[in-house]
Amino acid sequence: MTRRFNFCAGPAALPESVLLQAQQELLDYRDAGLSIMEMSHRSKEIVAIAEQAEADFRELMGISDDYAVLFLQGGASTQFAAVPLNLLGDNTTADYINTGQWSKKAIKEAQRYCEVNIVASSEDSNFTTIPPVDSWQLNKEAAYFHYTPNETIGGVEFASIPLGEVPLVADMSSTILSRPIDVSAYGVIYAGAQKNIGPAGLTMVIVRRDLLDRARPECPTMLAYKTAAENDSMYNTPPTYSIYLAGLVFQWLKKQGGLQAIETINRRKADKLYSYIDGSGFYANPVEPVSRSLMNVPFTLANADLDKSFLALSEQAGMLNLKGHRSVGGMRASIYNAVPEEAVDTLIDFMKDFAQRNG
Ligand SMILES: *Cc1c(COP(=O)(O)O)cnc(C)c1O
């Protein structure tokens, strides 16, 4: 067995120790005589797993009791509809800022339910910038303001939290748990699990409790935050195994020293990769330096004809999933929490060698 370095944007790398523990507990979970996957979600084991996962997640992120933490399904993409359905109430407008492919999808879905005010857009720069705050056209009457703190495809990230007067909603799918954040600045935070939380199939939502009564009457029962909040996320069968694995990831993160400690490692990983790219004269990252993502690093080669060879050789050298998104081209290294620093060092060494041979 050889586990290789996985730079996939999602589903992404998981900590090896988590996978090993899951393997050990797979057939017979702590002498219960069956696998977690085979247990009732009402069993004492699953209830305990879910409670512990929530407690660890709250501790890691510093989430107060003013917020409900929900374990849902449907991915971040389902939240593109759930957000307007839950937050519009009688209001008919919402603010969105367009900073990349995921913002665009969120906007398109919201337009089915309300009038979307595009606060600003960086599409003109091919999403390589964050629009300057003084250009934003915020609407004080908007039901909420939605943004995508980290655009996974473009590798563009907001350097600070955009504070306004209406509840702030964030799609944190690819940035959650990468560093400490001030949850109290937000109305709703949502994230698909398959980047920094755990395996696919789980979606986490953090919602301020005073926003639970704003759902549109037609909001489906299963999409209403209130349904999940009032039923400990067990109104129907939750993704029990994904919750279990997410719980193991949270414990792993606590052992690493929590989000402050993981941020230090993440910054070191990202800094060395960006500074190598910038100084290489062979690779380039198109994003303005202040808006570069901590988690997703797209880069192009001096000559796009070399892309295929780069991918084939990097794979041979034990590095998987470096192909960039088709809308950006080139390569993308996603360096989430579970991608070890050694993987980044190995990648940089490979890139140096490749540039030397082809430069
Ligand atoms: C991956 C991703 C999504 C899509 O998530 P799904 O769980 O596949 O729906 C949405 N937004 C961002 C920022 C992402 O990184």
Side-chain angles (χ1 to χ4, degrees), residues 9-11 74-80 101-103 105-106 148-153 171-175 190-195 200-203 296 332 336:
S77 303
T78 296
Q79 293 305 311
F80 296 164
Q101 305 297 336
W102 290 115
S103 304
K105 287 197 167 152
T148 310
N150 183 63
E151 288 280 1
T152 322
I153 291 172
D171 174 1
M172 290 204 186
S173 295
S174 53
T175 178
Y190 63 92
Q194 66 273 19
K195 280 97 186 213
L202 169 67
T203 311
N296 311 97
R332 172 175 49 171
Y336 296 114

Side-chain angles (χ1 to χ4, degrees), residues 60-61 177-181 253 256-267:
L60 282 164
M61 303 254 311
L177 299 175
S178 68
R179 60 169 158 215
I181 55 147
L253 267 172
Q256 308 301 301
L259 300 194
Q260 209 121 38
I262 209 80
E263 175 179 21
T264 305
I265 301 169
N266 285 334
R267 291 223 178 269

Side-chain angles (χ1 to χ4, degrees), residues 228-254:
E230 286 180 345
N231 292 280
D232 295 327
S233 300
M234 297 212 190
Y235 177 79
N236 78 328
T237 316
T240 47
Y241 200 72
S242 294
I243 293 171
Y244 158 72
L245 275 171
L248 295 186
V249 171
F250 301 154
Q251 300 219 335
W252 172 81
L253 267 172
K254 282 171 65 174

Side-chain angles (χ1 to χ4, degrees), residues 33-147:
L34 70 173
S35 159
I36 288 164
M37 279 180 268
E38 303 167 294
M39 288 177 181
S40 162
H41 54 293
R42 315 275 177 210
S43 65
K44 67 177 192 315
E45 287 88 353
I46 296 288
V47 169
I49 285 169
E51 282 176 359
Q52 188 65 49
E54 178 176 338
D56 289 338
F57 184 70
R58 282 182 179 276
E59 185 185 327
L60 282 164
M61 303 254 311
I63 302 170
S64 81
D65 284 342
D66 295 342
Y67 289 79
V69 169
L70 314 177
F71 295 89
L72 307 177
Q73 300 185 63
S77 303
T78 296
Q79 293 305 311
F80 296 164
V83 164
L85 284 164
N86 275 284
L87 299 183
L88 280 169
D90 296 330
N91 203 328
T92 54
T93 68
D95 277 358
Y96 280 71
I97 187 163
N98 181 17
T99 53
Q101 305 297 336
W102 290 115
S103 304
K104 274 174 87 160
K105 287 197 167 152
I107 289 165
K108 196 159 173 236
E109 190 71 359
Q111 282 168 336
R112 297 162 59 93
Y113 303 103
C114 65
E115 192 189 312
V116 169
N117 171 44
I118 308 288
V119 167
S121 171
S122 54
E123 193 151 15
D124 286 350
S125 75
N126 198 23
F127 299 125
T128 56
T129 57
I130 297 294
V133 178
D134 57 14
S135 72
W136 297 6
Q137 304 285 319
L138 289 162
N139 171 13
K140 285 188 183 127
E141 309 296 321
Y144 59 89
F145 174 34
H146 179 283
Y147 83 120

